[in-house]
Amino acid sequence: KRMGPAATQLNETAHLDDFKSKTEVVVVGFLESTEGVAWKEFEKVAKKMDDVEFGVSHEKAVHEHAKQKAGDIVLYKKFSGDAEHETVVYSGEMKADDLENWIGIHQLPVVVEFSAATSGKIFGSPIKSQVLLFCDVGSPSCEDAMKIFKENAKSNYGKIIAVSVRNDNDNVLNYFGVEKEETPCVFIAKSPSPGEKGMSKYKGPTKETLTNDGELSKFLSSYLSGELKPHRKSAKPPTSLVDEHGVTTLVGSNFDEIVLDPTKDVLVEFYAPWCGHCKQLAPIYDKLGKEFQDIDSVVIAKMDATANDPPSNIDVQGFPTIKFFKATDKTPVDYSGDRTVKGFRKFIKKNAGTNFELKKKGKKKAAEQEL
């Protein structure tokens, strides 16, 4: 929380000029007094937004110097490379929530470089659509792409947040399934809407098409009009989808076909290759697969959630995450029982949409001996 006064008092014109140069973004309230609704709402926001500098002036001479009238709320911003400050005047109702959202939108430059310092403002913005340009900064191909990217970012400012991502940021590249050799390229990341759990991704112009005339503009227009379907990162399906243990391998491209099949009850383990708990579960899950191998209505499946994207309504927060998709109702149900064959078996039997009977071990052995 901010310590001391919520906003710096700007009593003289020199104070205002110095304050504007204090940091890249400042917000100034040109208010008549510290009485009334305007000041109370302004103060609420100033106390809440720790990452923005707020100033206030009640002096008419300062108002006139700034060419603002009493009651104006102004955001001044000047980023590296800018010749002078950009002035943005608030035109909404004097309500704290509205003012905070307005600042959240306008405090960012036209294109933000992704970093630890900027990530909070990017993902904390009221704008939930981030357009990302992945490129090798300094290379001719990146400079050409950035020129087009900035033009489109300017024309869509306030609708999207334009973000540049260096192609040596392995974590972000891996999250979107982008190889360095594929840059420059563009993706859109959309934060969850009501009813959705994860981030939606949209694949945009590639290295080969990004600088084509109108290509990026067309992509953004299609996205903003709701015409695009989310892109899911997907590994290549294995030659044999069902392994020797009876466990089905899911990837992004075959998930819906297998999991949403209305004739199948499907148990899915979302795992990560490096996860210790997942490695401990593997032999148990293989035994479970063997046990259900001859039950046509039940699928025991697994998905590497680091190499593939599940649908956006499926929330995978940690590894392993295990969910059940009933044949007659594909709303995912979290499994939180014992991670044993017995625990899984009992859960599937109780929740399955299609009745089934497992062979008893004794009968199975006898049948094997007869063969």
Side-chain angles (χ1 to χ4, degrees):
K1 294 293 181 183
R2 190 185 297 275
M3 302 298 288
T8 302
Q9 291 288 334
L10 308 173
N11 298 323
E12 299 179 13
T13 58
H15 294 167
L16 173 63
D17 294 338
D18 291 342
F19 184 74
K20 285 166 58 178
S21 301
K22 187 176 183 179
T23 186
E24 289 181 332
V25 177
V26 299
V27 177
V28 179
F30 296 93
L31 306 177
E32 290 183 317
S33 69
T34 54
E35 301 292 330
V37 173
W39 165 248
K40 288 180 180 178
E41 296 299 298
F42 183 81
E43 187 182 34
K44 282 181 192 176
V45 180
K47 285 181 176 178
K48 186 176 179 181
M49 299 187 74
D50 293 343
D51 57 344
V52 178
E53 292 289 338
F54 287 81
V56 62
S57 178
H58 310 299
E59 302 298 327
K60 187 176 179 180
V62 177
H63 297 188
E64 290 176 349
H65 174 70
K67 298 179 181 178
Q68 303 298 334
K69 64 183 184 296
D72 283 349
I73 309 295
V74 180
L75 184 147
Y76 296 100
K77 54 184 175 180
K78 183 180 180 182
F79 300 100
S80 177
D82 291 346
E84 55 187 29
H85 282 92
E86 181 182 350
T87 301
V88 189
V89 181
Y90 180 62
S91 59
E93 290 186 54
M94 201 56 205
K95 295 180 179 178
D97 289 345
D98 293 349
L99 179 59
E100 182 183 352
N101 283 343
W102 176 79
I103 295 170
I105 292 169
H106 290 279
Q107 68 176 326
L108 296 172
V110 172
V111 176
V112 192
E113 182 172 348
F114 183 83
S115 68
T118 60
S119 61
K121 290 184 178 181
I122 292 169
F123 295 109
S125 170
I127 299 173
K128 299 305 179 185
S129 299
Q130 300 91 32
V131 183
L132 297 92
L133 169 66
F134 297 93
C135 71
D136 180 11
V137 176
S139 69
S141 63
C142 184
E143 290 177 5
D144 292 342
M146 183 61 76
K147 182 179 178 182
I148 293 172
F149 192 64
K150 280 185 176 178
E151 289 172 359
N152 282 272
K154 283 180 181 177
S155 60
N156 289 285
Y157 191 85
K159 301 175 188 175
I160 54 99
I161 298 175
V163 184
S164 66
V165 183
R166 292 175 176 269
N167 75 347
D168 58 359
N169 192 321
D170 293 336
N171 288 337
V172 182
L173 263 69
N174 290 339
Y175 181 72
F176 285 88
V178 175
E179 300 291 337
K180 290 183 181 180
E181 297 75 23
E182 296 175 326
T183 62
C185 61
V186 169
F187 272 79
I188 290 177
K190 181 179 177 292
S191 298
S193 300
E196 295 180 337
K197 300 293 184 181
M199 183 175 284
S200 299
K201 305 167 189 174
Y202 299 81
K203 189 173 183 178
T206 62
K207 180 179 183 177
E208 291 74 25
T209 63
L210 180 54
T211 55
N212 290 354
D213 187 37
E215 190 74 19
L216 182 56
S217 176
K218 181 181 174 182
F219 169 66
L220 293 177
S221 295
S222 296
Y223 169 75
L224 291 169
S225 63
E227 297 173 18
L228 298 184
K229 290 185 178 180
H231 165 80
R232 283 194 218 157
K233 182 173 65 172
S234 179
K236 187 178 179 181
T239 305
S240 178
L241 289 180
V242 183
D243 66 20
E244 67 272 23
H245 305 291
V247 178
T248 298
T249 298
L250 300 174
V251 295
S253 59
N254 70 9
F255 187 95
D256 289 358
E257 179 186 356
I258 295 171
V259 176
L260 302 185
D261 183 340
T263 67
K264 307 292 185 184
D265 291 297
V266 188
L267 186 73
V268 182
E269 177 205 0
F270 299 94
Y271 72 94
W274 43 260
C275 164
H277 292 298
C278 303
K279 291 175 182 177
Q280 290 176 356
L281 178 62
I284 297 169
Y285 210 68
D286 287 343
K287 287 180 183 177
L288 182 70
K290 275 281 188 186
E291 191 164 307
F292 280 87
Q293 200 164 17
D294 296 326
I295 307 300
D296 187 57
S297 63
V298 177
V299 176
I300 307 301
K302 63 182 180 180
M303 181 187 217
D304 178 356
T306 66
N308 301 277
D309 289 333
S312 59
N313 67 321
I314 297 174
D315 192 18
V316 179
Q317 291 288 348
F319 300 114
T321 289
I322 303 168
K323 293 181 182 286
F324 184 72
F325 299 81
K326 190 175 182 176
T328 53
D329 179 4
K330 291 302 178 178
T331 304
V333 177
D334 289 320
Y335 178 80
S336 56
D338 293 337
R339 292 176 184 173
T340 61
V341 173
K342 182 179 179 181
F344 287 125
R345 183 196 307 127
K346 186 178 178 181
F347 176 85
I348 294 171
K349 190 78 174 172
K350 180 181 178 181
N351 292 279
T354 303
N355 292 327
F356 63 87
E357 287 295 330
L358 283 169
K359 288 181 181 179
K360 292 183 179 180
K361 290 183 179 179
K363 291 183 177 180
K364 188 175 182 182
K365 285 182 179 178
E368 288 173 351
Q369 288 173 359
E370 287 178 15
L371 291 171

